[in-house]
Every structure is written in C-alpha cells, then in structure tokens.
Amino acid sequence: LKLLGRVPFLLLLGAAFALGESEGEDAAYRKVAASRADARRFRSERTLAAFELEAREFLRRFPKGGRASDVSLWLGDLLKSSRPREAYGFYRQSRLPSAVRRAEAIAFRFEALPPLEVESWLENGEFTLEPADGSVKAVVFFSAAHFQTQFLLPELDKLHRRFAPRGLSLAAVASVLDRHNRQSPKRLERALEAWRLPFPVAIDKQRSNGACSASLERFGGRKVPWLVLVDRYGRIAWADDMVLKGNGYARLLGVIDALLNQPSFDELVGQLRAGRVEALEKLKSIRTKATVEALIRSLEGQKSESLRDLTIVILRGLLPEGYFGRDEPARAGLARWPSVREKYRYSFEADRLVP
C-alpha cells in the first residue's frame, strides 16, 4: 500500500524530469537556430564555426530528440561542400525526406557518372563524361525556346575558346522542360544548326509524357541553363544553375580555373614515380575507381620501397573487401585487376570499390 501511494509521486517526478529535458532541448535548439541564422547572414569563419559547435553540442546532448533530425540536416548543409563525407553522415542521421535526397545527391557526385542520354549529337562529334581522361568536362543543359539562349550560346563559345587550350571539354545539350509541342527533335535540330558552334551539341532524350527531358533530370536539373562540371578525376564538382553575369559568373570562372589547375592522373602518377609523397596523399584523397588504376600504374616505376609499401596499403583500402585472397601476395592480387575491373564500382557509402 505504501508503494502504491508513492506511484503518483514517482509519475510526477518522471514527468517533471521529462519536462526539464524538453525545456533543455528547446533552449538548446533555439541557440542552434540563432547561431545558424548568424552563419547564414554573415558567412564569416567565426559565425560558421560557432554554428557548427552549437549544432554538434546539441546532437551530443539530444541525439534522439525531437529536433535532432533538423539539426542533422542543417549540419549536413553546412559541410556538404567542404567536408562531403561528414555531411553525408549527418544527412543519414536525419529522418527527414529532404536529408535522404541530399545524401543521395552527395553520393551521386562521387560515384560513377551515368551516361548522357540524347536523341542525337548534331555538331562536332559525340561527347562522353566517362572515363576520366584528364580533362575537365562541362555540360550545359539549355532550352532552345528560352529567350536567354541568344545570350547563353555566345557566352559558351567564349568559355570554350578561353579554356579549351587548358583542358576544358565543353558540350551543350538542348533540353525540354515545357512547350514540348514546339520543341520536337527535328525543329530543335534546324534551330541549332544555324548557330554553328565549335563544340559538341546534342538534343536531350525527350519523353512523351511531357516530363523533363532525360539527361537534364538525371543530372539533377531543376531549371535551365543548368551546368554540370566534372573534374579531372571523373567527379562532379558543380551541378547547379549557370549564372551569366555578376558575382555568380565570376565565381563560376574561378571554379573552372581551379579545376583546370588540378594535376591529372598522369601527372600524379609521374610525380609518385619520382618519389613525391604529396602525390600519394592527393591520390589517396580522390577515392575513385580510376584512382585504383592510377595507383597500380604508379607501382611500375616507383623506386622508393617505402612509397611502394604505402601505395599498396592505400590500394588495399580502396579495393573491395576480400579482394586479396588469404595470404595472397599483393603482386598476385594486383595482376588480376585488368581481368576483373569491370565487376566493381566505387561506393561513396562504403568508401571503397564494391561488386
């Protein structure tokens, strides 16, 4: 009976404790939201660091709280450009559907690219995003029915002439978002042939149900012009609107310039063979299937035994789990690579090649 008499008191105590935790979470969430607002407004190192600190502390204290999914999403958004793998982890912690989509978008940037699906290539031959051949690749999706095309295509011509000598490969793809009945492949072909552009031009694969054309949708396009930049290593470095003037255009030119300044796989292999450990660190950070092939190639001419051992360690971390048989020498396992390479792809989630 005495125990029964204490039950209401225990319930009240538990409710008070839960209320205190809730109030603590609410107060902490308000602090995170305020620091996020400052970070978005001022974009300084101080405000960004303060927001990250508050968000991480919130998730440490309330990992299963009612606001944890929101804060995980915010942290993912903060880190997606500078630290994509951390961002991916925070997106995966969130239960919000938008976080799932953003995690998928990050993985898409680093995994093998899908092919462009087009009706036809009209000018200057075909264009592919694979394999990573050392060039920086740019695909601009545009609407031939949009008034902006008259400004866009001459600007693409300038970009091509400016950056092609440094290794930029550019293609333009006429895509359809609306007014489908006025943009049949035949009509688009006649319109585009008049421009006589110096780079490959294609008509995107159209759909009969009035949906967005295939390649534009495949590469996340929400509007046109939509630009996809692929770095020298076969990874998406930009998939966003293409702004043609002002600070946005200046930023784009800076991104292209920075991508072109990156060493190619061939250059990195040469540096590694010459004994430059920083080339191995760079290759270790790229994390693609092409990286595996570059590392294997570098072994042929490496004179430093210690660098060779480090290269094999990195290869073991990139190749699929169980790739090397029990007690199999590294040389024997790597000799098999050309005959089995097509079986594997790089997985961002696993951070290594998988079947």
Side-chain angles (χ1 to χ4, degrees):
L1 290 174
K2 288 182 179 180
L3 182 60
L4 289 174
R6 292 178 60 194
V7 168
F9 171 75
L10 292 174
L11 290 175
L12 287 172
L13 185 63
F17 178 78
L19 180 61
E21 280 293 292
S22 176
E23 288 176 347
E25 181 181 345
D26 288 344
Y29 176 77
R30 287 194 294 271
K31 287 180 68 176
V32 175
S35 64
R36 176 175 179 255
D38 286 344
R40 298 179 75 185
R41 181 180 178 187
F42 299 110
R43 301 295 301 178
S44 68
E45 288 186 17
R46 183 187 64 80
T47 57
L48 292 169
F51 164 56
E52 182 177 352
L53 186 64
E54 290 286 356
R56 286 182 181 275
E57 176 62 12
F58 178 92
L59 292 175
R60 185 191 69 80
R61 292 178 59 199
F62 310 104
K64 301 193 181 299
R67 301 286 195 167
S69 285
D70 295 312
V71 176
S72 294
L73 176 73
W74 294 350
L75 256 182
D77 288 346
L78 173 71
L79 301 173
K80 65 182 179 182
S81 297
S82 59
R83 285 173 272 167
R85 183 159 294 283
E86 286 187 63
Y88 181 80
F90 284 115
Y91 285 143
R92 293 292 301 272
Q93 289 177 29
S94 175
R95 296 186 297 272
L96 298 175
S98 55
V100 174
R101 292 193 294 271
R102 290 176 201 185
E104 291 171 349
I106 286 183
F108 180 76
R109 283 172 48 197
F110 293 94
E111 296 182 350
L113 297 173
L116 293 167
E117 186 179 0
V118 302
E119 298 281 351
S120 59
W121 289 96
L122 307 180
E123 300 279 350
N124 305 303
E126 296 188 5
F127 181 93
T128 61
L129 293 170
E130 288 280 4
D133 59 7
S135 66
V136 174
K137 299 181 181 182
V139 181
V140 181
F141 298 95
F142 70 99
S143 170
H146 198 283
F147 76 93
Q148 196 177 35
T149 300
Q150 61 184 310
F151 308 108
L152 171 69
L153 295 182
E155 201 58 49
L156 295 185
D157 192 2
K158 291 179 188 176
L159 275 179
H160 169 74
R161 296 181 191 281
R162 176 175 176 177
F163 290 116
R166 293 178 55 194
L168 179 71
S169 297
L170 187 146
V173 178
S175 302
V176 179
L177 288 87
D178 52 21
R179 291 181 271 184
H180 294 72
N181 60 332
R182 295 171 55 189
Q183 298 184 78
S184 68
K186 284 294 182 185
R187 294 183 71 170
L188 288 176
E189 184 175 345
R190 288 194 296 269
L192 291 171
E193 283 177 346
W195 284 94
R196 299 190 178 279
L197 295 164
F199 45 79
V201 180
I203 297 172
D204 204 355
K205 186 71 175 178
Q206 297 188 7
R207 292 169 171 167
S208 58
N209 60 2
C212 170
S213 51
S215 294
L216 176 61
E217 182 180 66
R218 183 173 289 177
F219 284 89
R222 300 181 297 272
K223 58 175 75 171
V224 288
W226 185 258
L227 172 64
V228 175
L229 283 175
V230 178
D231 69 13
R232 294 189 186 277
Y233 317 117
R235 305 173 303 182
I236 293 178
W238 177 296
D240 209 337
D241 299 345
M242 184 175 185
V243 181
L244 296 176
K245 57 185 179 181
N247 292 336
Y249 190 57
R251 176 176 169 244
L252 171 60
L253 294 179
V255 170
I256 294 174
D257 186 67
L259 293 175
L260 290 168
N261 284 335
Q262 292 285 319
S264 67
F265 275 126
D266 286 343
E267 290 171 319
L268 289 169
V269 167
Q271 293 171 15
L272 187 50
R273 287 172 173 168
R276 293 176 58 179
V277 69
E278 62 269 26
L280 183 58
E281 288 300 314
K282 176 68 175 176
L283 284 165
K284 179 183 177 182
S285 71
I286 294 171
R287 318 295 291 177
T288 67
K289 184 175 178 177
T291 304
V292 169
E293 305 196 327
L295 289 168
I296 291 174
R297 280 195 291 127
S298 76
L299 289 171
E300 297 170 6
Q302 282 189 38
K303 297 180 176 63
S304 166
E305 198 64 35
S306 60
L307 264 186
R308 186 179 181 83
D309 290 344
L310 285 172
T311 301
I312 291 173
V313 168
I314 293 170
L315 279 166
R316 287 184 181 277
L318 264 174
L319 286 164
E321 288 190 56
Y323 177 83
F324 294 96
R326 186 178 182 86
D327 301 324
E328 179 183 28
R331 183 184 297 274
L334 297 176
R336 283 189 287 109
W337 173 250
S339 64
V340 299
R341 65 178 304 280
E342 297 304 325
K343 298 179 181 178
Y344 302 114
R345 63 176 180 84
Y346 175 74
S347 162
F348 186 75
E349 182 176 7
D351 194 24
R352 67 191 311 151
L353 270 59
V354 298

